[in-house]
């Protein structure tokens, strides 16, 4: 092997990719890279500069004037848009929907895929996204497609959001049921767009291991993937 290992974790929103990818990176001492944050940062740029998500020509021009940078830290990734830390802002719902919409444009994908290949070229990474195993690194050493039922995924997103909101507000008030309904609706819309776009649609690579986590706990999912990754290393970092 001429480079260090590359682990690709792909799948739909809410399947648990980030949690799994972060744990794996920590366990094996690899760099964790969350490619969705790059599409999110560009969507934010489009919002801030009042661009239409569907105008591919204008967005391509905007991309030439945009700098996106990912930095790995202990908690995950920090994302910088034109030098400004936008890590928290890119989690908002307008950016989430926008990311799915700007990501259909081939020129935007090519730009960000090139950046991602550059970041991962030396290996030693767990890269998470939608097209890592199919397009970004088709020669990745381990490819996992993590899936779960739409109901399980929206439930997890709802719980995650409630937890984040409680931390932010310093109180335990969960979002209302209508939040639950809108999360579920947003997720379905994003699923449809991510799976049906002409360029690099979300689908498992032919050689990906598909794991359905609907009724699996995090530990079970991690054990399965660690078993796939372990043979690539002679020694592992001890901590999990
Ligand atoms: O993983 P995420 O939810 O942060 O991704 C946000 C959007 O970005 C997702 O709906 C589709 C797009 N995306 C993509 O097209 N390709 C990737 N490798 C990662 C994300």
């Amino acid at each position: 092997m001429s480079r260090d290992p590359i682990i690709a974790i792909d799948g739909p929103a809410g399947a648990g990719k980030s949690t799994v990818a972060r744990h794996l990176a920590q366990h094996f001492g690899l760099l964790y890279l969350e490619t969705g944050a790059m599409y999110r940062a560009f969507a934010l740029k489009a919002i801030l500069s009042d661009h239409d998500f569907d105008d591919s020509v204008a967005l391509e021009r905007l991309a030439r004037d945009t700098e996106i940078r990912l930095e790995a830290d202990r908690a995950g990734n920090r994302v910088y848009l034109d030098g400004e830390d936008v890590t928290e802002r890119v989690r908002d719902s307008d950016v989430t929907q926008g990311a799915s919409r700007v990501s259909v444009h081939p020129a935007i994908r090519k730009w960000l895929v090139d950046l991602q290949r550059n970041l991962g070229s030396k290996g030693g990474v767990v890269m998470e996204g939608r097209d890592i195993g199919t397009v970004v690194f088709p020669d990745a050493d381990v490819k996992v497609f993590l899936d779960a039922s739409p109901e399980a995924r929206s439930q997890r997103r709802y719980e995650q959001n409630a937890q984040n909101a409680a931390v932010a507000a310093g109180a335990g008030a969960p979002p209302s049921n209508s939040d639950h309904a809108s999360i579920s609706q947003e997720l379905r819309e994003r699923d449809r767009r991510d799976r049906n776009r002409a360029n690099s649609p979300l689908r498992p690579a032919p050689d990906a291991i598909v794991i359905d986590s609907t009724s699996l706990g995090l530990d079970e999912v991690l054990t399965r993937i660690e078993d796939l990754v372990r043979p690539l290393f002679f020694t592992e970092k001890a901590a999990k």
Side-chain angles (χ1 to χ4, degrees), residues 46-128:
I47 291 169
L48 295 176
S49 56
D50 220 9
H51 276 69
D52 183 338
F53 292 138
D54 298 325
D55 188 343
S56 59
V57 174
L59 289 177
E60 189 175 349
R61 207 176 311 121
L62 184 68
R64 280 188 227 118
D65 189 32
T66 302
E67 193 225 354
I68 289 170
R69 198 156 44 84
L70 268 193
E71 256 177 32
D73 74 3
R74 277 175 57 81
N77 287 174
R78 300 215 70 83
V79 57
Y80 295 85
L81 172 64
D82 298 325
E84 192 182 332
D85 187 339
V86 292
T87 310
E88 274 77 38
R89 174 66 176 97
V90 297
R91 296 291 138 202
D92 291 345
S93 142
D94 57 338
V95 178
T96 302
Q97 284 301 324
S100 169
R101 291 179 62 183
V102 297
S103 71
V104 304
H105 303 299
I108 304 306
R109 298 205 69 79
K110 183 181 179 318
W111 166 50
L112 293 180
V113 165
D114 284 348
L115 274 178
Q116 291 154 15
R117 286 188 178 141
N118 211 18
L119 281 174
S121 61
K122 295 201 179 92
V125 295
V126 181
M127 198 173 273
E128 176 220 319

Side-chain angles (χ1 to χ4, degrees), residues 10 13 17 34-37 39-40 91 96 99-100 103 109 116 128-132 136 157 190 194 197:
D10 289 305
K17 299 187 300 293
E34 186 203 351
T35 59
Y39 291 94
R40 286 171 180 271
R91 296 291 138 202
T96 302
S100 169
S103 71
R109 298 205 69 79
Q116 291 154 15
E128 176 220 319
R130 302 286 187 289
D131 59 344
I132 311 305
V136 182
R157 241 328 111 83
R190 214 142 64 92
D194 295 350
R197 66 183 175 221

Side-chain angles (χ1 to χ4, degrees), residues 22-30 74 222 226 230 235-240:
R22 249 195 330 262
H23 273 83
L24 282 177
Q26 205 180 7
H27 187 68
F28 290 101
L30 303 170
R74 277 175 57 81
L222 279 174
E226 282 167 13
R230 192 168 296 111
T235 55
E236 281 180 33
K237 275 206 155 179
K240 177 169 154 185

